[in-house]
Amino acid sequence: MTNTVTAEPVVTAPAVRLTGLEKRYGSTVAVAGVDLEIATGEVLALLGPNGAGKSTTIDMMLGLIAPDAGQARLFGRSPREAVVAGQVGAMLQTGALRDGLTVGETVAEIAALHRRPGRVPEVLAEAGLTELAGRRCAKLSGGEKQRVRFAIALISRPELIVLDEPTAGMDVEARREFWAAMRAYSDTGRTVVFATHYLEEAQSFADRVVLLRQGRVVADGTVAQIRAAASGRTIQAVVPGADLDELRRLPGVDHVEVRDDRVTLRCGDSDAALRTLLDRHRDAYDVEVTAAGLEDAFLALTEQPTTLAEKPTEETR
Ligand SMILES: Nc1ncnc2c1ncn2[C@@H]1O[C@H](COP(=O)(O)OP(=O)(O)OP(=O)(O)O)[C@@H](O)[C@H]1O
């Protein structure tokens, strides 16, 4: 009798799998059912306005708070197991640094806890802190403090790094240096998840952007898809007797605001919208068409519960 050995396919768990994640604080729904799978090596930006649920999602992803419903798994394990195994590094908005310690001492203290004292010079270099190793934390700028937190997050050589608004408080130069360090890290095939308010930051660094609004995912796509959706135009005009519902139904229009007779139309297809608008409202005047800024596009996307996957690119031109 011959034994046939069938090779089992190697199933690699995704870096992050969030299933039906929910969190409430009293009557506030912070996270309202988030499903998200992040593959190993992806650089993903969680984008959303204040209060969208980014920090709460990240805290549940890291096992810092328990979800009311749903589950977070990192590399197929519970967040706690993955953290203990050194697979995850986190850089959160708060994370007290002891003022009396130097940068080097701070990093060395955490490295000792991880039993990785030899990592100190490496992580200081990776975070661009070598020159600042002897400076007390009390004397650091906001951006420099963030880089210390980044160095701490790198100590265990994590496969996944999670950052909650990492560049808050940094000036332009500090941001540039920070993202250069992050890019060097992600180029080694590690997974990066970061929360930000800034579409530009997401666009220039992430492979994939997930937009959160009121605790839900409202758009999920590659940077190219988000850009396509973000490249709309705005039409402004005075339209006597403008009717909100009628304007909403104009072809190519995604969002309408009316103040007195002054109308602002955010459009995926401004040509189609303008032709129909002028056809129906011959008395419209003061017409202006402008390319939507990134800020407008972000607002348009977070105002509309539309997933990019459901919305073909032609409609979002
Ligand atoms: N510990 C808490 N107690 C009560 N409400 C909370 C708590 N944490 C968050 N919330 C509420 O949950 C909602 C989501 O907050 P969260 O901090 O996750 O949003 P965010 O997208 O990270 O916002 P920001 O960009 O301002 O940090 C908000 O309405 C917030 O006020």
Side-chain angles (χ1 to χ4, degrees):
M1 196 174 97
T2 38
N3 283 326
T4 317
V5 179
T6 317
E8 286 287 325
V10 179
V11 181
T12 316
V16 178
R17 179 177 281 148
L18 308 180
T19 325
L21 220 50
E22 287 178 26
K23 185 74 190 174
R24 283 170 191 274
Y25 292 105
S27 58
T28 306
V29 181
V31 174
V34 165
D35 293 292
L36 192 62
E37 197 166 303
I38 306 172
T40 307
E42 256 184 325
V43 178
L44 181 138
L46 265 185
L47 193 66
N50 282 324
K54 304 182 294 294
S55 298
T56 309
T57 301
I58 281 180
D59 288 350
M60 289 192 282
M61 193 185 286
L62 294 169
L64 297 173
I65 55 173
D68 292 333
Q71 196 187 43
R73 304 290 286 174
L74 306 180
F75 304 103
R77 321 166 115 168
S78 73
R80 194 174 170 72
E81 286 167 336
V83 170
V84 169
Q87 290 178 294
V88 187
M91 182 175 151
L92 304 177
Q93 285 185 43
T94 51
L97 300 175
R98 299 227 308 266
D99 280 351
L101 295 188
T102 65
V103 169
E105 286 163 353
T106 304
V107 175
E109 193 176 75
I110 311 287
L113 289 176
H114 282 269
R115 297 181 206 285
R116 301 214 185 209
R119 284 281 287 150
V120 175
E122 273 168 52
V123 296
L124 287 176
E126 280 169 7
L129 289 169
T130 307
E131 311 277 293
L132 293 176
R135 189 174 297 176
R136 292 202 186 287
C137 290
K139 305 260 164 149
L140 298 175
S141 71
E144 289 161 349
K145 282 186 180 163
Q146 287 294 81
R147 267 151 56 201
V148 176
R149 294 186 183 108
F150 177 47
I152 290 170
L154 293 181
I155 286 170
S156 70
R157 255 191 231 285
E159 294 161 59
L160 164 69
I161 192 159
V162 181
L163 312 127
D164 194 356
E165 296 185 27
T167 58
M170 289 190 196
D171 62 20
V172 175
E173 189 53 33
R175 272 167 199 254
R176 198 174 299 133
E177 283 171 19
F178 178 81
W179 286 118
M182 278 307 305
R183 196 176 292 281
Y185 173 83
S186 70
D187 282 350
T188 60
R190 312 292 184 34
T191 312
V192 177
V193 177
F194 67 99
T196 181
H197 285 121
Y198 305 114
L199 188 57
E200 281 123 318
E201 207 163 67
Q203 281 191 329
S204 53
F205 189 67
D207 309 320
R208 180 175 162 202
V209 177
V210 167
L211 282 174
L212 282 182
R213 170 183 165 268
Q214 293 178 355
R216 290 180 195 282
V217 174
V218 292
D220 178 351
T222 63
V223 173
Q225 283 173 308
I226 296 280
R227 276 214 186 102
S231 62
R233 286 169 192 271
T234 299
I235 299 173
Q236 287 186 304
V238 179
V239 185
D243 174 68
L244 194 62
D245 283 334
E246 186 239 321
L247 293 171
R248 279 197 186 120
R249 286 195 298 271
L250 287 176
V253 169
D254 292 331
H255 182 79
V256 180
E257 280 168 38
V258 181
R259 209 168 280 165
D260 300 326
D261 283 340
R262 179 152 282 281
V263 166
T264 304
L265 306 173
R266 272 204 285 271
C267 306
D269 184 348
S270 56
D271 293 336
L274 190 60
R275 267 196 293 271
T276 316
L277 178 75
L278 295 179
D279 213 33
R280 293 190 193 158
H281 295 272
R282 305 246 159 210
D283 52 351
Y285 62 97
D286 254 353
V287 181
E288 226 182 350
V289 182
T290 48
L294 289 173
E295 198 70 22
D296 294 333
F298 167 61
L299 287 174
L301 284 166
T302 52
E303 275 163 10
Q304 289 185 315
T306 310
T307 57
L308 289 175
E310 286 167 7
K311 195 171 186 185
T313 326
E314 302 87 80
E315 284 180 23
T316 55
R317 248 179 311 146

Short mmCIF file of all heavy atoms in Angstrom, two decimals, residues 91 126-128 143 146-151 161 163-168 170-185 192 194 201 205:
data_model
loop_
_atom_site.label_atom_id
_atom_site.label_comp_id
_atom_site.label_asym_id
_atom_site.label_seq_id
_atom_site.Cartn_x
_atom_site.Cartn_y
_atom_site.Cartn_z
N MET A 91 2.42 53.19 17.93
CA MET A 91 2.77 54.56 18.30
C MET A 91 1.45 55.31 18.41
O MET A 91 0.78 55.56 17.42
CB MET A 91 3.63 55.15 17.18
CG MET A 91 4.09 56.54 17.45
SD MET A 91 5.21 57.02 16.13
CE MET A 91 4.90 58.76 16.16
N GLU A 126 17.25 54.54 12.97
CA GLU A 126 16.05 54.39 12.11
C GLU A 126 15.07 55.53 12.33
O GLU A 126 14.37 55.95 11.41
CB GLU A 126 15.37 53.04 12.40
CG GLU A 126 16.05 51.87 11.70
CD GLU A 126 15.55 50.51 12.18
OE1 GLU A 126 14.58 50.45 12.96
OE2 GLU A 126 16.14 49.52 11.76
N ALA A 127 15.01 56.04 13.55
CA ALA A 127 14.07 57.13 13.83
C ALA A 127 14.74 58.50 13.71
O ALA A 127 14.12 59.52 14.04
CB ALA A 127 13.49 56.94 15.23
N GLY A 128 15.98 58.53 13.23
CA GLY A 128 16.69 59.80 13.04
C GLY A 128 16.98 60.51 14.36
O GLY A 128 16.92 61.74 14.44
N GLY A 143 7.53 67.15 17.66
CA GLY A 143 7.91 66.22 16.57
C GLY A 143 9.00 65.26 17.01
O GLY A 143 8.98 64.08 16.66
N GLN A 146 7.59 62.58 19.11
CA GLN A 146 6.92 61.57 18.28
C GLN A 146 7.94 60.58 17.72
O GLN A 146 7.67 59.39 17.61
CB GLN A 146 6.16 62.22 17.12
CG GLN A 146 4.90 62.93 17.54
CD GLN A 146 3.86 61.96 18.07
OE1 GLN A 146 3.94 61.56 19.23
NE2 GLN A 146 2.91 61.59 17.24
N ARG A 147 9.13 61.09 17.36
CA ARG A 147 10.16 60.20 16.82
C ARG A 147 10.69 59.26 17.90
O ARG A 147 11.06 58.12 17.60
CB ARG A 147 11.27 61.00 16.15
CG ARG A 147 10.96 61.15 14.66
CD ARG A 147 11.51 62.38 14.02
NE ARG A 147 12.94 62.52 14.19
CZ ARG A 147 13.57 63.69 14.08
NH1 ARG A 147 12.86 64.78 13.83
NH2 ARG A 147 14.86 63.77 14.21
N VAL A 148 10.70 59.71 19.16
CA VAL A 148 11.10 58.80 20.25
C VAL A 148 10.05 57.67 20.35
O VAL A 148 10.39 56.50 20.48
CB VAL A 148 11.23 59.55 21.59
CG1 VAL A 148 11.54 58.57 22.72
CG2 VAL A 148 12.31 60.61 21.50
N ARG A 149 8.78 58.05 20.26
CA ARG A 149 7.71 57.02 20.34
C ARG A 149 7.84 56.05 19.17
O ARG A 149 7.60 54.86 19.31
CB ARG A 149 6.33 57.69 20.33
CG ARG A 149 6.10 58.52 21.57
CD ARG A 149 4.69 59.07 21.64
NE ARG A 149 4.57 59.91 22.82
CZ ARG A 149 4.48 61.24 22.79
NH1 ARG A 149 4.43 61.88 21.65
NH2 ARG A 149 4.41 61.91 23.91
N PHE A 150 8.22 56.60 18.01
CA PHE A 150 8.42 55.75 16.82
C PHE A 150 9.57 54.77 17.08
O PHE A 150 9.46 53.57 16.81
CB PHE A 150 8.71 56.66 15.62
CG PHE A 150 9.01 55.94 14.34
CD1 PHE A 150 8.23 54.90 13.89
CD2 PHE A 150 10.10 56.32 13.56
CE1 PHE A 150 8.51 54.23 12.71
CE2 PHE A 150 10.39 55.68 12.37
CZ PHE A 150 9.59 54.63 11.95
N ALA A 151 10.69 55.27 17.64
CA ALA A 151 11.84 54.41 17.93
C ALA A 151 11.42 53.27 18.88
O ALA A 151 11.77 52.11 18.67
CB ALA A 151 12.96 55.23 18.56
N ILE A 161 3.28 47.74 12.15
CA ILE A 161 3.37 48.92 13.00
C ILE A 161 2.08 49.73 12.83
O ILE A 161 1.57 49.89 11.72
CB ILE A 161 4.65 49.73 12.71
CG1 ILE A 161 4.87 50.78 13.79
CG2 ILE A 161 4.68 50.36 11.36
CD1 ILE A 161 6.29 51.26 13.89
N LEU A 163 0.13 53.30 13.83
CA LEU A 163 0.45 54.66 14.26
C LEU A 163 -0.82 55.51 14.26
O LEU A 163 -1.54 55.56 13.26
CB LEU A 163 1.45 55.28 13.27
CG LEU A 163 2.65 54.41 12.91
CD1 LEU A 163 2.77 54.27 11.41
CD2 LEU A 163 3.91 54.96 13.48
N ASP A 164 -1.08 56.14 15.38
CA ASP A 164 -2.28 56.99 15.46
C ASP A 164 -1.85 58.45 15.33
O ASP A 164 -1.24 59.00 16.25
CB ASP A 164 -2.99 56.75 16.80
CG ASP A 164 -4.39 57.34 16.80
OD1 ASP A 164 -4.77 57.99 15.79
OD2 ASP A 164 -5.11 57.17 17.79
N GLU A 165 -2.15 59.04 14.19
CA GLU A 165 -1.78 60.43 13.89
C GLU A 165 -0.32 60.72 14.27
O GLU A 165 -0.04 61.56 15.13
CB GLU A 165 -2.74 61.39 14.58
CG GLU A 165 -4.12 61.20 14.01
CD GLU A 165 -5.14 62.19 14.54
OE1 GLU A 165 -4.72 63.29 14.93
OE2 GLU A 165 -6.32 61.86 14.53
N PRO A 166 0.60 60.01 13.60
CA PRO A 166 2.00 60.09 14.03
C PRO A 166 2.64 61.45 13.83
O PRO A 166 3.58 61.78 14.54
CB PRO A 166 2.70 59.04 13.14
CG PRO A 166 1.81 58.90 11.95
CD PRO A 166 0.42 59.11 12.46
N THR A 167 2.13 62.24 12.89
CA THR A 167 2.81 63.51 12.60
C THR A 167 2.15 64.71 13.27
O THR A 167 2.51 65.85 12.98
CB THR A 167 2.90 63.75 11.08
OG1 THR A 167 1.58 63.75 10.56
CG2 THR A 167 3.74 62.70 10.40
N ALA A 168 1.22 64.44 14.19
CA ALA A 168 0.58 65.56 14.91
C ALA A 168 1.67 66.35 15.63
O ALA A 168 2.54 65.77 16.27
CB ALA A 168 -0.42 65.00 15.92
N MET A 170 4.08 68.03 14.26
CA MET A 170 5.36 68.14 13.54
C MET A 170 5.29 69.25 12.49
O MET A 170 4.25 69.43 11.85
CB MET A 170 5.68 66.85 12.79
CG MET A 170 6.07 65.71 13.68
SD MET A 170 6.70 64.35 12.68
CE MET A 170 6.63 63.03 13.86
N ASP A 171 6.41 69.95 12.29
CA ASP A 171 6.43 70.93 11.20
C ASP A 171 6.74 70.18 9.89
O ASP A 171 6.94 68.97 9.88
CB ASP A 171 7.44 72.05 11.48
CG ASP A 171 8.86 71.54 11.60
OD1 ASP A 171 9.14 70.44 11.09
OD2 ASP A 171 9.69 72.25 12.19
N VAL A 172 6.76 70.93 8.79
CA VAL A 172 6.85 70.30 7.46
C VAL A 172 8.13 69.46 7.34
O VAL A 172 8.10 68.32 6.86
CB VAL A 172 6.83 71.39 6.36
CG1 VAL A 172 7.06 70.79 4.98
CG2 VAL A 172 5.51 72.13 6.41
N GLU A 173 9.25 70.01 7.82
CA GLU A 173 10.52 69.31 7.72
C GLU A 173 10.50 68.02 8.55
O GLU A 173 10.94 66.96 8.09
CB GLU A 173 11.65 70.26 8.19
CG GLU A 173 13.05 69.75 7.95
CD GLU A 173 13.31 69.33 6.51
OE1 GLU A 173 12.73 69.93 5.59
OE2 GLU A 173 14.08 68.37 6.31
N ALA A 174 9.96 68.13 9.76
CA ALA A 174 9.88 66.95 10.64
C ALA A 174 8.98 65.88 10.02
O ALA A 174 9.29 64.69 10.09
CB ALA A 174 9.37 67.36 12.01
N ARG A 175 7.90 66.31 9.40
CA ARG A 175 7.01 65.35 8.73
C ARG A 175 7.74 64.60 7.63
O ARG A 175 7.62 63.40 7.49
CB ARG A 175 5.85 66.08 8.05
CG ARG A 175 4.68 66.31 8.93
CD ARG A 175 3.72 67.30 8.30
NE ARG A 175 2.88 67.80 9.34
CZ ARG A 175 1.60 67.45 9.49
NH1 ARG A 175 1.02 66.69 8.61
NH2 ARG A 175 0.91 67.91 10.51
N ARG A 176 8.48 65.37 6.83
CA ARG A 176 9.21 64.77 5.71
C ARG A 176 10.20 63.73 6.23
O ARG A 176 10.27 62.62 5.72
CB ARG A 176 9.94 65.88 4.93
CG ARG A 176 10.34 65.42 3.55
CD ARG A 176 10.93 66.55 2.72
NE ARG A 176 10.02 67.65 2.52
CZ ARG A 176 10.32 68.94 2.69
NH1 ARG A 176 11.54 69.28 3.08
NH2 ARG A 176 9.44 69.88 2.48
N GLU A 177 10.93 64.09 7.28
CA GLU A 177 11.90 63.14 7.85
C GLU A 177 11.21 61.91 8.41
O GLU A 177 11.66 60.79 8.24
CB GLU A 177 12.71 63.81 8.97
CG GLU A 177 13.78 64.73 8.45
CD GLU A 177 14.41 65.54 9.57
OE1 GLU A 177 14.28 65.15 10.75
OE2 GLU A 177 15.03 66.58 9.25
N PHE A 178 10.07 62.16 9.05
CA PHE A 178 9.34 61.04 9.65
C PHE A 178 8.89 60.06 8.57
O PHE A 178 9.09 58.85 8.68
CB PHE A 178 8.13 61.55 10.44
CG PHE A 178 7.33 60.43 11.02
CD1 PHE A 178 7.75 59.83 12.20
CD2 PHE A 178 6.22 59.93 10.38
CE1 PHE A 178 7.05 58.76 12.73
CE2 PHE A 178 5.52 58.86 10.90
CZ PHE A 178 5.93 58.28 12.08
N TRP A 179 8.32 60.58 7.49
CA TRP A 179 7.80 59.68 6.46
C TRP A 179 8.93 58.99 5.71
O TRP A 179 8.77 57.87 5.24
CB TRP A 179 6.86 60.42 5.49
CG TRP A 179 5.54 60.69 6.15
CD1 TRP A 179 4.99 61.91 6.39
CD2 TRP A 179 4.62 59.73 6.69
NE1 TRP A 179 3.80 61.76 7.05
CE2 TRP A 179 3.54 60.45 7.24
CE3 TRP A 179 4.61 58.34 6.77
CZ2 TRP A 179 2.47 59.82 7.86
CZ3 TRP A 179 3.53 57.71 7.39
CH2 TRP A 179 2.48 58.44 7.93
N ALA A 180 10.08 59.65 5.62
CA ALA A 180 11.24 58.99 4.98
C ALA A 180 11.65 57.77 5.83
O ALA A 180 11.90 56.69 5.29
CB ALA A 180 12.41 59.97 4.86
N ALA A 181 11.64 57.93 7.15
CA ALA A 181 11.98 56.81 8.04
C ALA A 181 10.93 55.70 7.92
O ALA A 181 11.27 54.51 7.85
CB ALA A 181 12.07 57.30 9.48
N MET A 182 9.66 56.08 7.84
CA MET A 182 8.59 55.09 7.71
C MET A 182 8.69 54.34 6.40
O MET A 182 8.46 53.14 6.32
CB MET A 182 7.23 55.78 7.76
CG MET A 182 6.71 56.10 9.12
SD MET A 182 6.70 54.68 10.19
CE MET A 182 5.76 53.57 9.21
N ARG A 183 9.04 55.07 5.34
CA ARG A 183 9.15 54.44 4.02
C ARG A 183 10.26 53.39 4.04
O ARG A 183 10.11 52.29 3.51
CB ARG A 183 9.40 55.50 2.93
CG ARG A 183 9.13 54.99 1.54
CD ARG A 183 9.31 56.09 0.52
NE ARG A 183 8.30 57.13 0.62
CZ ARG A 183 7.07 57.04 0.14
NH1 ARG A 183 6.71 55.93 -0.49
NH2 ARG A 183 6.22 58.02 0.27
N ALA A 184 11.38 53.75 4.67
CA ALA A 184 12.50 52.80 4.75
C ALA A 184 12.02 51.53 5.47
O ALA A 184 12.36 50.41 5.08
CB ALA A 184 13.67 53.44 5.50
N TYR A 185 11.20 51.71 6.48
CA TYR A 185 10.68 50.57 7.25
C TYR A 185 9.71 49.74 6.40
O TYR A 185 9.81 48.52 6.33
CB TYR A 185 9.99 51.11 8.51
CG TYR A 185 9.27 50.08 9.31
CD1 TYR A 185 9.94 49.29 10.22
CD2 TYR A 185 7.90 49.89 9.14
CE1 TYR A 185 9.27 48.33 10.96
CE2 TYR A 185 7.23 48.94 9.87
CZ TYR A 185 7.92 48.16 10.77
OH TYR A 185 7.24 47.22 11.48
N VAL A 192 2.09 48.51 7.56
CA VAL A 192 1.95 49.78 8.29
C VAL A 192 0.47 50.20 8.24
O VAL A 192 -0.14 50.21 7.18
CB VAL A 192 2.81 50.90 7.65
CG1 VAL A 192 2.60 52.23 8.38
CG2 VAL A 192 4.30 50.53 7.66
N PHE A 194 -1.76 53.49 9.57
CA PHE A 194 -1.69 54.77 10.27
C PHE A 194 -2.98 55.56 10.12
O PHE A 194 -3.63 55.52 9.08
CB PHE A 194 -0.46 55.59 9.83
CG PHE A 194 -0.48 56.10 8.42
CD1 PHE A 194 -0.86 57.40 8.15
CD2 PHE A 194 -0.10 55.29 7.36
CE1 PHE A 194 -0.86 57.90 6.85
CE2 PHE A 194 -0.09 55.77 6.05
CZ PHE A 194 -0.47 57.08 5.80
N GLU A 201 -1.23 63.34 3.18
CA GLU A 201 -0.33 62.40 3.84
C GLU A 201 -0.68 60.97 3.44
O GLU A 201 0.19 60.15 3.16
CB GLU A 201 -0.48 62.57 5.36
CG GLU A 201 0.74 62.20 6.12
CD GLU A 201 0.70 62.77 7.53
OE1 GLU A 201 -0.14 62.33 8.32
OE2 GLU A 201 1.53 63.64 7.85
N PHE A 205 1.74 58.47 0.97
CA PHE A 205 2.43 57.38 1.64
C PHE A 205 1.72 56.04 1.56
O PHE A 205 2.38 55.00 1.53
CB PHE A 205 2.68 57.76 3.11
CG PHE A 205 3.56 56.79 3.80
CD1 PHE A 205 4.89 56.66 3.42
CD2 PHE A 205 3.06 55.97 4.79
CE1 PHE A 205 5.70 55.73 4.02
CE2 PHE A 205 3.88 55.04 5.41
CZ PHE A 205 5.21 54.92 5.02
#
